[in-house]
């Protein structure tokens, strides 16, 4: 589906954008506008956990050595949220975006914090007293975007073209991730996937590069959105699973990132499954 070239931004669109911007505004207000003692009450202390802190710890960020912890999460959120939204609009399932975002914001902090607590305190015996940050939720959005990209391929492209698009996406995802994190094995896997897809274009199951190019020319706006979304997705995936978990003077919570990423993927998958079931039941009744 091509968005109308003459479409104008309506008051309702502006309101939706403002709603999306409320989240970084709240995080910024808490960081700069409240006392450190208040922010400390929102942190999750693994040695003395309180139920509400399993959610509130996502609202606060480390002040040392600078405000990079907050800024990194704000940039990640802003880069990821808009491609997720626009792709769902193209797939005519904007309602799924808002429902999925609500689920991620309401539930994922609990699951992410619980996974960190179980992994670090209960299993490894680490006594972490300052578990905080929005990065787990940002990682959930990265997982949400990955699934949104795949969903767009399957819904908007013929099967052979979608197979080629998905193969190229995973190949470039691994290639970019491997290069940015200096993981040679992952780079090799990415190259292998790309070679396999190139070989597959000689069969009837995978479209040729010319067919993919033709689809791109016919769907110019959506193609541009997908290219941007894929680039952002590679950056989001890389940020979720960094090669150095001790960079920036602190410890990157790789457990929270991984859990968040999987949760975001699961949200999209469950919403799509529910939509498919509802459509099938409606067809049966009709």
């Amino acid at each position: 589906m091509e968005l109308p070239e003459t479409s104008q931004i309506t008051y309702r669109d502006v309101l939706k954008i403002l709603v999306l911007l409320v989240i970084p505004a709240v995080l910024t207000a808490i960081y700069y506008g409240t006392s450190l003692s208040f922010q400390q009450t929102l942190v999750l202390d693994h040695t003395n956990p309180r139920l509400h802190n399993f959610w509130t710890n996502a609202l606060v960020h480390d002040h040392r050595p600078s405000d990079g912890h907050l800024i990194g999460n704000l940039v990640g959120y802003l880069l990821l949220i808009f491609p997720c939204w626009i792709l769902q609009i193209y797939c005519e399932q904007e309602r799924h975006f808002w429902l999925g975002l609500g689920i991620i914001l309401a539930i994922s902090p609990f699951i992410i914090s619980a996974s960190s607590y179980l992994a670090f305190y209960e299993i490894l015996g680490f006594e972490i007293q300052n578990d905080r940050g929005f990065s787990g939720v940002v990682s959930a959005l990265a997982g949400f975007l990955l699934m949104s990209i795949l969903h767009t391929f399957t819904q908007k492209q013929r099967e052979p073209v979608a197979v080629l698009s998905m193969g190229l996406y995973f190949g470039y995802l691994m290639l970019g991730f491997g290069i940015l994190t200096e993981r040679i094995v992952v780079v090799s896997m990415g190259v292998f996937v790309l070679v396999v897809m190139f070989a597959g274009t000689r069969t009837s199951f995978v479209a040729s590069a010319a067919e993919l190019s033709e689809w791109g020319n016919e769907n110019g706006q959506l193609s541009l959105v997908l290219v941007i979304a894929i680039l952002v997705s590679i950056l989001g995936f890389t940020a979720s699973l960094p090669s150095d978990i001790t960079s920036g003077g602190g410890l990157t919570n790789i457990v929270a990132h991984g859990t968040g990423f999987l949760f975001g993927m699961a949200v999209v998958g469950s919403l799509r499954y529910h939509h498919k079931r509802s459509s099938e039941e409606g067809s049966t009744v009709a």
Side-chain angles (χ1 to χ4, degrees):
M1 177 189 73
E2 289 286 324
L3 293 180
E5 294 182 0
T6 58
S7 63
Q8 296 181 349
I9 297 179
T10 65
Y11 172 78
R12 192 171 184 179
D13 295 328
V14 173
L15 183 61
K16 292 175 181 178
I17 293 173
L18 291 177
V19 169
L20 295 178
L21 295 179
V22 164
I23 297 167
V26 169
L27 296 178
T28 301
I30 292 174
Y31 186 86
Y32 293 109
T34 64
S35 65
L36 291 178
S37 59
F38 170 75
Q39 293 179 39
Q40 194 62 33
T41 63
L42 305 180
V43 169
L44 175 62
D45 181 354
H46 289 193
T47 64
N48 184 28
R50 298 180 179 180
L51 182 60
H52 66 279
N53 288 144
F54 280 84
W55 191 86
T56 60
N57 70 328
L59 301 175
V60 289
H61 294 81
D62 196 354
H63 284 257
R64 296 174 295 179
S66 64
D67 51 6
H69 189 205
L70 169 69
I71 293 175
N73 284 333
L74 293 182
V75 171
Y77 169 84
L78 293 172
L79 285 175
L80 290 163
I81 197 67
F82 289 103
C84 289
W85 180 29
I86 295 172
L87 285 179
Q88 293 299 326
I89 291 175
Y90 268 106
C91 291
E92 301 177 1
Q93 294 184 353
E94 185 182 4
R95 179 176 175 273
H96 283 182
F97 166 77
W98 292 106
L99 182 58
L101 179 61
I103 292 173
I104 287 175
L105 294 176
I107 300 176
S108 71
F110 285 108
I111 296 176
I112 292 166
S113 297
S115 67
S116 297
Y117 173 78
L118 291 173
F120 290 120
Y121 187 75
E122 295 294 345
I123 297 177
L124 298 177
F126 296 165
E127 296 184 352
I128 298 175
Q129 297 179 306
N130 292 289
D131 187 350
R132 56 190 162 191
F134 198 67
S135 58
V137 179
V138 173
S139 294
L141 293 176
F144 192 100
L145 179 58
L146 183 148
M147 292 294 287
S148 297
I149 291 170
L150 296 179
H151 182 204
T152 304
F153 288 152
T154 59
Q155 183 166 329
K156 293 298 180 180
Q157 297 177 331
R158 294 185 300 105
E159 184 174 340
V161 178
V163 171
L164 177 61
S165 296
M166 286 188 283
L168 292 176
Y169 173 48
F170 281 118
Y172 285 122
L173 179 66
M174 288 187 285
L175 189 63
F177 174 61
I179 292 174
L180 292 174
T181 59
E182 300 180 349
R183 290 180 166 100
I184 303 301
V185 174
V186 180
V187 171
S188 301
M189 291 173 60
V191 172
F192 175 75
V193 171
L194 293 176
V195 170
V196 170
M197 294 312 301
F198 175 77
T201 59
R202 301 176 181 274
T203 70
S204 60
F205 301 102
V206 183
S208 65
E211 291 176 285
L212 178 59
S213 177
E214 180 182 355
W215 180 89
N217 291 332
E218 294 174 353
N219 300 270
Q221 290 182 350
L222 179 54
S223 298
L224 178 60
V225 172
L226 278 170
V227 169
I228 295 173
I230 288 170
L231 292 175
V232 171
S233 174
I234 293 173
L235 293 175
F237 186 74
T238 302
S240 297
L241 301 172
S243 57
D244 184 4
I245 64 172
T246 60
S247 61
L251 178 66
T252 300
N253 192 337
I254 198 75
V255 174
H257 290 188
T259 302
F261 194 89
L262 293 175
F263 183 82
M265 293 178 64
V267 168
V268 178
S270 61
L271 288 175
R272 187 179 181 190
Y273 174 77
H274 177 73
H275 176 74
K276 185 177 180 180
R277 284 286 302 274
S278 299
S279 299
E280 290 176 349
E281 291 176 359
S283 300
T284 303
V285 172

